[in-house]
Amino acid sequence: MIDIGLDIKIQKTNQSRLPEIDFNNIPFGKIYADHMFLAEYQNGQWSDLRIEPFNNLNLSPAISVLHYGQSVFEGLKGFRSPDGKEVLVFRPEENAKRLKDSAKRLCMPEVPEEIFMTGLHKLLDLDRGWVPNVKDSALYIRPFQFAADEYIGLKPSESFKFIIFASPVGAYYSEPVKVKVETEYTRAAQGGTGFAKAAGNYAASMYPAKLAAEQGYHQLLWTDGKEHKFIEESGTMNVLFVINDTLVSIPSSDTILPGITRRSVVQIAKDWGMKVEERPVEVAEIISAIKDGSLKEMFGAGTAATITQIALMAYDGIDYELPAVETREFSNKLHAELTGIQRGLVEDTRGWVYKI
Ligand code: COI
């Protein structure tokens, strides 16, 4: 049981924006709930824990994060319980842990789990009205931490800010996606920051993703930086396959983000008695599985993406159509199970749902 007993100063908004929101028509990531949680790291400790109305930050142009990208973030989702009374948050303790791992790699102090969980709990308690009650919608929660020293020499910052805000969202992808296997650019190299949810990883991925978008692909399928031979991840999600009757999932590594949704999918499949292999996957294996018909399903798993079907994979100038989405028995059933657990419609037997 997490202690959420920390003292947090709360300043409430005197003008909620909630009445202006049409929850039946929400884009991803453009609307923000009324409040945000903040904490400051100075002189070796986190302090000044507070909740304030969501507002712009007042920052110096010399602030270190703007120049050297010392910044890490998280993404998690909250859902409204079927009786409408509770906010259900999916595996937030895992996000708190991953944020610490990311912070360590970026030479930043860890945000203690108690601060993460207390901030999250009190913020969502206050902004519970912002959790949508509409199919495929959720309250997306964005914790992040960044270097706050005013200094333009290159060195690790000594002061940091940790902030959590929330955004009611619709689906991240509104249709099955087309992905292009990237064999020129590299998302992450061994010994780099690929496993961390570091802002810079996402910045570096945008140019190649834009080139692919110009060719009609929604996302890239990143390959290893050494030989471009092994599939890694898709930038906004981990990627999984059903080959014959086996779920194949690429394990986390120092170049792949350790996805909480991916791990949850693997656990559900194992609990269902499905054959599961966690192992590296070569592009060549997938191409030959597409050709001989043994590739039955291919999908992405992530917080924002949830379970996103992959309809087409492009490699070396050729578009490979994948099996029709309606035929994908495992991932369709999995989608219903996972979203059912998240929304409190399916019993949470694994202790994954945190209730507020
Ligand atoms: C998430 O799924 O939470 C992410 O951080 C992906 C982001 C690029 C939207």
Side-chain angles (χ1 to χ4, degrees), residues 264-278:
S264 308
V265 169
V266 165
Q267 188 60 55
I268 291 172
K270 285 183 178 167
D271 292 349
W272 281 350
M274 183 160 181
K275 248 193 279 170
V276 177
E277 290 176 8
E278 289 189 83

Side-chain angles (χ1 to χ4, degrees), residues 4 126 224 230 307:
I4 50 120
L126 193 59
D224 68 282
F230 291 93
I307 301 299

Side-chain angles (χ1 to χ4, degrees), residues 59 67 76 94 128 164 182 198 239 260 265 321 327:
L59 300 174
H67 303 272
L76 57 161
E94 296 300 315
R128 60 177 62 244
I164 310 177
E182 178 59 64
V239 178
I260 296 161
V265 169
E321 296 278 351
T327 66

Side-chain angles (χ1 to χ4, degrees), residues 46-295:
W46 288 101
S47 60
D48 199 9
L49 277 48
R50 61 200 192 277
I51 289 176
E52 292 176 356
F54 181 91
N55 207 345
N56 292 346
L57 302 173
N58 185 8
L59 300 174
S60 161
I63 195 169
S64 161
V65 65
L66 296 180
H67 303 272
Y68 307 121
Q70 216 187 348
S71 172
V72 294
F73 71 97
E74 271 304 321
L76 57 161
K77 272 180 176 168
F79 305 87
R80 193 174 283 279
S81 63
D83 66 6
K85 291 188 186 144
E86 287 172 315
V87 185
L88 310 178
V89 188
F90 189 67
R91 309 193 75 178
E93 302 90 344
E94 296 300 315
N95 297 89
K97 285 193 192 108
R98 192 170 61 183
L99 185 74
K100 286 194 211 171
D101 294 340
S102 298
K104 188 170 172 208
R105 178 63 183 82
L106 272 285
C107 203
M108 302 165 94
E110 293 178 352
V111 173
E113 191 168 333
E114 196 188 5
I115 293 183
F116 185 105
M117 292 303 299
T118 307
L120 179 75
H121 189 107
K122 298 206 167 160
L123 181 67
L124 297 192
D125 193 18
L126 193 59
D127 276 346
R128 60 177 62 244
W130 286 84
V131 184
N133 196 9
V134 175
K135 190 176 173 301
D136 292 335
S137 298
L139 188 69
Y140 184 82
I141 302 150
R142 172 52 60 88
F144 65 112
Q145 175 184 353
F146 62 90
D149 278 7
E150 283 181 37
Y151 180 61
I152 53 169
L154 180 63
K155 73 165 187 61
S157 189
E158 287 170 21
S159 61
F160 295 86
K161 287 183 191 288
F162 172 59
I163 300 179
I164 310 177
F165 67 88
S167 169
V169 295
Y172 193 76
Y173 295 112
S174 52
E175 54 182 353
V177 294
K178 298 177 183 178
V179 298
K180 180 187 150 195
V181 178
E182 178 59 64
T183 52
E184 187 183 347
Y185 296 96
T186 298
R187 175 188 169 273
Q190 275 174 21
T193 58
F195 70 89
K197 222 164 159 55
N201 292 344
Y202 294 80
S205 74
M206 285 179 192
Y207 179 65
K210 176 173 166 273
L211 296 181
E214 284 165 6
Q215 297 170 337
Y217 304 107
H218 298 91
Q219 261 303 332
L220 293 172
L221 206 50
W222 292 102
T223 51
D224 68 282
K226 239 189 206 165
E227 300 177 281
H228 296 298
K229 199 167 144 187
F230 291 93
I231 295 175
E232 299 220 305
E233 60 159 270
S234 187
T236 51
M237 52 195 189
N238 295 117
V239 178
L240 298 95
F241 313 86
V242 177
I243 301 177
N244 290 319
D245 55 357
T246 303
L247 177 70
V248 179
S249 176
I250 302 158
S252 305
S253 73
D254 68 347
T255 55
I256 298 175
L257 188 86
I260 296 161
T261 312
R262 180 195 81 83
R263 275 211 319 274
S264 308
V265 169
V266 165
Q267 188 60 55
I268 291 172
K270 285 183 178 167
D271 292 349
W272 281 350
M274 183 160 181
K275 248 193 279 170
V276 177
E277 290 176 8
E278 289 189 83
R279 59 168 173 81
V281 174
E282 281 191 36
V283 181
E285 177 189 354
I286 298 305
I287 299 291
S288 76
I290 295 171
K291 287 184 178 161
D292 70 17
S294 56
L295 185 100

